[in-house]
Amino acid sequence: MKQKTVLFTMLFALLATFSCESDKIHPDNTAKSYLQIRLTDNPLNVDEVNIDLLQVSIKTKNTQGFVPLNTYPGIYDLLKYQAGQDTLIVNDTLPPGEIQEVRLLLGTNNSVMVDSVLYPLKVPSGMQSGIKIKFTQILVQDSLTNVTLDFDAEKSVVDQGNGGYLLKPVITAIL
C-alpha cells in the first residue's frame, strides 16, 4: 500500500510539472504562431548603407493600426547582409492570422559611406510614419513563419548630386 501511495504521489507531481510547463508555452491557453523577420540586401557600389532601426510593427487583418513586435533595434549596415547573408530583426509570438503590412520605424542615425566619407542618409518618412511593406502572409497556429525583407540598396539610395543622399526604400518581402 505504501508503494502505491508513493507511486501515485510521484505520478501526480510529474503531471503537475508538465501542466505548468504547458502553461509557460501558452500562458493564456490561446493559439499562438511564431514570426521571425530577417533583413538582407542587394549590392551597391558604396562602403556602407546604415539604417537606424527603432521598431518593427505589423498590421494584420484582425487589428486596427500597427502592432509593435519584439524588435532587435540598432544600426544595421545593409551591405553586410548580401549573397545569402541576413540578420534577425524580429522574433515574436502572435495569434494566428493574416499579415497585411510590415512597418519599419527608423531613427535619425541613418548614413551612407562613399569613398570612406560618411554622409547622413535622409529618410523622408522613416521617422514619422515609417517604411511600409505591403504583402499577405498567413500566420499558422503552432508554426514558424519566416519573412525576409530584401532591401535593394542600389535602387534605394539616391545621390542628390549636392553631397546629400536620400533613402527611398525599395524592399521586397520574401516569404
Side-chain angles (χ1 to χ4, degrees):
M1 183 69 171
K2 196 175 193 179
Q3 285 181 326
K4 286 184 181 178
T5 304
V6 170
L7 185 59
F8 178 77
T9 303
M10 288 174 53
L11 184 59
F12 180 77
L14 188 61
L15 286 173
T17 300
F18 283 119
S19 173
C20 291
E21 289 298 315
S22 175
D23 287 346
K24 288 179 186 173
I25 296 170
H26 300 289
D28 55 358
N29 291 324
T30 60
K32 300 286 183 193
S33 58
Y34 308 93
L35 174 66
Q36 291 184 342
I37 299 178
R38 298 177 181 280
L39 190 63
T40 191
D41 178 42
N42 282 335
L44 174 66
N45 193 20
V46 298
D47 302 326
E48 295 177 7
V49 177
N50 301 300
I51 61 165
D52 181 9
L53 180 65
L54 299 177
Q55 181 67 57
V56 179
S57 304
I58 61 168
K59 185 186 283 187
T60 69
K61 194 172 184 178
N62 302 328
T63 58
Q64 300 226 358
F66 285 90
V67 177
L69 299 174
N70 182 25
T71 303
Y72 301 118
I75 297 177
Y76 292 89
D77 177 1
L78 297 176
L79 300 185
K80 289 185 178 180
Y81 310 111
Q82 299 177 353
Q85 298 296 312
D86 61 35
T87 189
L88 185 65
I89 59 172
V90 168
N91 191 17
D92 212 337
T93 304
L94 305 162
E98 182 180 305
I99 297 175
Q100 296 180 322
E101 195 170 352
V102 170
R103 178 177 70 179
L104 306 177
L105 187 61
L106 300 184
T108 58
N109 294 318
N110 305 290
S111 62
V112 60
M113 184 180 285
V114 180
D115 297 327
S116 301
V117 178
L118 198 61
Y119 298 94
L121 185 59
K122 295 179 185 173
V123 186
S125 64
M127 294 178 286
Q128 291 82 25
S129 62
I131 298 166
K132 296 174 184 165
I133 305 104
K134 292 185 183 232
F135 62 92
T136 301
Q137 177 65 38
I138 303 296
L139 298 174
V140 178
Q141 179 177 329
D142 297 325
S143 286
L144 172 63
T145 300
N146 280 296
V147 175
T148 300
L149 301 179
D150 186 3
F151 258 86
D152 188 335
E154 184 175 29
K155 293 179 182 174
S156 299
V157 176
V158 178
D159 182 350
Q160 294 181 294
N162 60 2
Y165 290 86
L166 286 177
L167 181 66
K168 293 186 173 184
V170 176
I171 303 171
T172 304
I174 302 170
L175 311 173

